[in-house]
Amino acid sequence: MRGLIVRFRFSEQVSVQQPIQLKRFYKEASIEMAINPTNPYHQWLVKLDGKTVKTPSKNTLAVPSPQLASFIAHEFNMQTDYIRPTTMPLLTLARNAIDIEADDRIRQFMEQSIISYLERDTVLFRENPETKLYQIQKEKLDPKLKLFNDKFGLHLQTNFGLNIDPLKEYDQIKIETIVNELNNWQLVSLDAKVENLKSCILALLIWNNDLQVEEGVKLSRLEEDFQIAQFGKVEGHHDYDENTIMMNVSAAKLFAQLIQTQSIVY
């Protein structure tokens, strides 16, 4: 099971310290409508020089809408001499969704991962009340916590330091219900937001269109930005980190929109 989880997580996010040098081996990516698909989410194929793309688990890359297929084909066509997986977030999300369908253990792990973030959520963490950072957290995060509780029917409260209280039974059941009701494609979209923002609360607010991506990213980085303001930043590193998070969360939001787009019938 551990090997399964590690392999899946690596396919989802490629580390900057471990770049994959895969030479571009195709001339052109294109899309094609699937013939008599048995799965309603496998309507459109992405092809490289006429050959169907496969996922890391050797499943056929077939997606719900021509719009999503076109975006993924565009990611392939934008590659230069070498393929850079970090510039292909929609492809990563699609292949993860497909591989979940082939192995329910991955879905179970992903659900547990999302739910576990809620106890240690960025939005719930508070510094010492005597600090300036606490005042910033109270001003910026308290309204979002109230909005989240009101919208999703939970009763979450803030935590101080390392004193993290476990979820109350009611909140545990509520968040499990929300996550369980998502289909695999919606689940990978939410998981990508949670992983990048380190916040289930911000991810679900973005999911529900109650929060813009840019503001969500800023809120997820309140503590880091406070430290940067106090001590300065490492040139290039922090900018890259924020831009990468912004790209990944924006791609996850777009992915959720594209999987709901009605397929074109010819």
Side-chain angles (χ1 to χ4, degrees):
M1 180 66 175
R2 178 175 175 79
L4 169 71
I5 293 173
V6 170
R7 184 170 63 253
F8 176 72
R9 282 300 178 189
F10 179 75
S11 73
E12 183 180 15
Q13 291 193 356
V14 178
S15 170
V16 177
Q17 287 75 31
Q18 295 177 309
I20 294 178
Q21 293 294 318
L22 177 62
K23 190 173 179 62
R24 176 168 173 166
F25 56 90
Y26 56 91
K27 292 182 180 180
E28 183 181 22
S30 60
I31 70 170
E32 182 179 300
M33 196 173 190
I35 300 175
N36 298 324
T38 57
N39 188 318
Y41 289 98
H42 295 177
Q43 298 283 339
W44 289 82
L45 306 173
V46 179
K47 295 195 169 187
L48 302 180
D49 298 336
K51 297 180 180 180
T52 303
V53 176
K54 300 287 187 178
T55 71
S57 297
K58 309 302 181 184
N59 298 307
T60 298
L61 185 73
V63 301
S65 73
Q67 290 83 1
L68 177 55
S70 294
F71 269 92
I72 294 173
H74 178 69
E75 288 182 340
F76 274 111
N77 287 328
M78 288 299 292
Q79 302 304 303
T80 53
D81 292 339
Y82 288 90
I83 298 174
R84 296 193 303 156
T86 53
T87 64
M88 307 177 77
L90 295 175
L91 169 65
T92 300
L93 290 167
R95 70 188 189 187
N96 285 347
I98 292 167
D99 286 345
I100 283 179
E101 294 173 345
D103 192 334
D104 191 56
R105 292 175 300 170
I106 301 177
R107 178 178 176 108
Q108 293 173 10
F109 168 76
M110 188 176 287
E111 287 181 357
Q112 293 168 5
S113 176
I114 291 172
I115 293 169
S116 70
Y117 263 106
L118 201 54
E119 288 185 354
R120 49 194 171 90
D121 200 286
T122 299
V123 175
L124 300 180
F125 172 77
R126 294 292 180 275
E127 264 292 351
N128 187 307
E130 298 178 358
T131 64
K132 185 177 180 180
L133 177 57
Y134 170 79
Q135 298 302 323
I136 296 174
Q137 291 171 329
K138 185 176 178 63
E139 176 188 351
K140 300 289 187 181
L141 298 180
D142 279 11
K144 301 306 179 188
L145 176 56
K146 183 179 185 308
L147 177 62
F148 176 81
N149 282 335
D150 290 344
K151 288 285 185 177
F152 293 96
L154 277 79
H155 305 91
L156 302 178
Q157 297 179 340
T158 55
N159 296 309
F160 288 91
L162 299 177
N163 298 320
I164 300 176
D165 295 325
L167 291 177
K168 301 292 190 297
E169 182 179 3
Y170 174 86
D171 291 329
Q172 180 77 28
I173 294 173
K174 189 69 176 178
I175 190 62
E176 286 178 356
T177 301
I178 292 170
V179 173
N180 290 340
E181 288 179 349
L182 300 177
N183 64 46
N184 293 331
W185 298 75
Q186 294 169 327
L187 187 69
V188 298
S189 172
L190 178 61
D191 179 68
K193 297 185 189 80
V194 172
E195 286 288 332
N196 280 274
L197 297 170
K198 308 304 179 189
S199 170
C200 185
I201 293 173
L202 296 176
L204 280 169
L205 287 176
I206 292 174
W207 172 272
N208 207 46
N209 294 318
D210 292 312
L211 182 67
Q212 295 298 313
V213 170
E214 184 175 0
E215 184 182 4
V217 172
K218 291 292 185 184
L219 292 174
S220 74
R221 293 169 52 85
L222 273 184
E223 183 178 2
E224 183 173 356
D225 287 344
F226 177 80
Q227 297 297 335
I228 291 172
Q230 296 293 309
F231 306 108
K233 67 178 181 179
V234 178
E235 291 298 330
H237 172 74
H238 291 102
D239 290 338
Y240 178 87
D241 184 48
E242 184 171 359
N243 291 337
T244 300
I245 293 172
M246 189 79 71
M247 181 188 72
N248 289 338
V249 177
S250 297
K253 182 176 177 63
L254 176 62
F255 184 83
Q257 295 168 341
L258 293 175
I259 62 176
Q260 297 175 8
T261 304
Q262 292 297 316
S263 183
I264 299 173
V265 178
Y266 291 94

